């Protein structure tokens, strides 16, 4: 797969459907896949954080989350034409799991959040096979590993926040029977109905960041990563 590289960080120029197609082929070939969402904040952090850069570049699919990556691709004549968000990618993967009768495990978030998320997912994807779940505050890591092994999960969503979830996946994927791993950040909270996504108007016009800023003005500092990122991209070759 050809990747695009922004400031040393790889991004896969694929749509949801293309990612699903490649993951399906890899499952058939018995290969593991890891999915990580990439945004300007993570790319900027990777400039001084080699571990994070290694986590991103070491993943199988770096999906272009965040409108900033899209703009960078436009500026550099790349092939990324639409956003691929972590939360929507999870929806596509759940659909794939349903179609292929894959067993899905959910690890992360608070107990009441992960259970509510599963309840809503079972409503939206009635044929989904839930292999099991663990909340993200369980301290006994061996217990979690054994639970996932015994569940014979094929697909695992890890919601511990970034980069904690990606580090966990990197450190444990060889011990697990799982074929598809995705670090999903706050997505269980979204599926549980605790976090609203931005209204369609904001999402369709690349203005999700503006909606977030209006709702949570203290995100301003985090969002400065976007202009900084675009400025650095413009200066780079
Ligand atoms: N979380 C967890 N265990 C921890 C820390 C965080 O399960 O030790 C969960 C937290 O409850 C929330 C998610 O991880 O559901 C983090 O979401 P956030 O939106 O902060 O992640 P981001 O997408 O910003 O990385």
């Amino acid at each position: 797969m050809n990747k695009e590289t922004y400031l040393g960080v790889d991004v896969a120029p694929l749509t949801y459907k293309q990612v699903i197609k490649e993951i399906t082929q890899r499952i058939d070939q018995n290969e593991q896949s890891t999915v990580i969402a990439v945004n300007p904040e993570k790319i900027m952090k990777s400039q001084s954080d080699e571990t994070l850069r290694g986590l991103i570049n070491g993943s199988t699919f770096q999906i272009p989350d965040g409108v900033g990556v899209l703009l960078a691709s436009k500026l550099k004549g790349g092939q990324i034409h639409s956003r691929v968000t972590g939360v929507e990618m999870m929806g596509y993967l759940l659909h794939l799991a349903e179609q292929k009768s894959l067993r899905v495990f959910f690890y992360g978030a608070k107990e009441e959040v992960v259970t509510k998320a599963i309840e809503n997912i079972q409503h939206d994807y009635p044929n989904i096979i839930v292999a099991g779940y663990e909340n993200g505050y369980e301290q006994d890591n061996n217990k979690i590993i054994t639970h996932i092994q015994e569940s014979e999960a094929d697909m695992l969503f890890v919601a511990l926040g970034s980069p904690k979830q990606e580090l966990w996946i990197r450190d444990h994927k060889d011990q697990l029977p799982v074929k598809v791993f995705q670090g999903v950040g706050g997505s269980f909270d979204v599926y549980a109905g605790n976090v609203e996504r931005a209204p369609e108007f904001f999402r369709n016009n690349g203005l999700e960041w503006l909606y977030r800023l209006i709702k949570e003005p203290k995100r301003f500092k985090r969002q400065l990563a976007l202009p900084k990122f675009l400025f650095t991209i413009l200066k780079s070759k």
Side-chain angles (χ1 to χ4, degrees), residues 108-110 113 135-137 159-162 164-165 184-186 189 222:
K110 292 184 189 143
V113 171
N135 74 60
Y137 298 89
L160 302 174
S162 205
K164 196 173 176 190
Q165 60 202 20
V184 291
D189 297 88
R222 267 179 76 170

Side-chain angles (χ1 to χ4, degrees), residues 1-2 7 13-14 19 32 42 53 73 87 90 92 116 121 133 140 144 155 158 166 177 181 189 209 211-212 217:
M1 183 197 331
N2 289 328
L7 311 178
L14 302 175
V19 175
Q32 286 184 322
K42 284 188 195 163
R53 183 157 25 125
S73 187
V87 67
M90 181 175 165
Y92 277 82
K116 183 71 191 165
I121 285 167
Y133 77 89
D140 186 347
I144 297 167
M155 189 178 279
V158 186
E166 283 85 17
F181 297 84
D189 297 88
W209 61 270
Y211 181 76
R212 289 271 120 74

Side-chain angles (χ1 to χ4, degrees), residues 6-236:
Y6 297 101
L7 311 178
V9 177
D10 290 345
V11 187
L14 302 175
T15 61
Y16 294 105
K17 287 193 176 145
Q18 289 167 329
V19 175
I20 291 295
K21 192 171 163 216
E22 293 207 15
I23 285 183
T24 308
Q25 286 166 353
R26 293 172 65 89
I27 293 173
D28 292 342
Q29 291 159 2
N30 227 3
E31 279 181 280
Q32 286 184 322
S33 304
T34 50
V35 180
I36 186 167
V38 180
N39 56 36
E41 198 187 345
K42 284 188 195 163
I43 297 180
M44 290 314 282
K45 209 170 154 219
S46 290
Q47 301 308 297
S48 55
D49 184 341
E50 255 181 65
T51 308
L52 180 60
R53 183 157 25 125
L55 279 175
I56 299 176
N57 291 351
S59 297
T60 322
F61 299 95
Q62 301 80 1
I63 57 174
D65 200 341
V67 68
V69 182
L70 206 74
L71 291 173
S73 187
K74 280 214 164 75
L75 287 171
K76 293 286 170 184
Q79 298 301 312
I80 301 170
H81 300 300
S82 55
R83 284 181 69 187
V84 174
T85 67
V87 67
E88 275 178 61
M89 190 75 244
M90 181 175 165
Y92 277 82
L93 285 170
L94 287 168
H95 183 64
L96 175 71
E98 221 185 5
Q99 283 181 322
K100 293 196 63 126
S101 303
L102 303 174
R103 301 170 61 79
V104 185
F105 198 104
F106 300 83
Y107 169 38
K110 292 184 189 143
E111 178 74 16
E112 62 271 24
V113 171
V114 61
T115 49
K116 183 71 191 165
I118 292 172
E119 191 187 314
N120 290 341
I121 285 167
Q122 282 174 316
H123 179 265
D124 294 345
Y125 303 86
N127 294 319
I128 203 87
I129 305 169
V130 178
Y133 77 89
E134 285 282 349
N135 74 60
Y137 298 89
E138 170 57 53
Q139 296 300 313
D140 186 347
N141 199 44
N142 288 333
K143 181 188 145 208
I144 297 167
I145 298 289
T146 308
H147 188 179
I148 300 172
Q149 284 167 338
E150 289 178 355
S151 79
E152 297 182 359
D154 305 296
M155 189 178 279
L156 173 62
F157 296 105
V158 186
L160 302 174
S162 205
K164 196 173 176 190
Q165 60 202 20
E166 283 85 17
L167 286 167
W168 189 93
I169 293 171
R170 183 196 68 187
D171 293 343
H172 301 295
K173 68 178 178 5
D174 293 345
Q175 292 163 267
L176 298 173
V178 174
K179 289 289 165 293
V180 186
F181 297 84
Q182 187 188 357
V184 291
S187 297
F188 292 0
D189 297 88
V190 175
Y191 277 97
N194 293 349
V195 178
E196 296 166 65
R197 290 210 58 200
E200 220 164 299
F201 167 79
F202 290 91
R203 280 194 272 161
N204 292 346
N205 292 289
L207 294 173
E208 204 156 359
W209 61 270
L210 178 61
Y211 181 76
R212 289 271 120 74
L213 187 61
I214 297 165
K215 298 279 276 194
E216 277 181 81
K218 63 176 189 308
R219 289 179 69 94
F220 180 66
K221 234 178 132 187
R222 267 179 76 170
Q223 290 192 337
L224 280 177
L226 177 59
K228 247 190 222 164
F229 168 69
L230 290 175
F231 185 69
T232 316
I233 286 284
L234 273 174
K235 280 194 310 186
S236 72

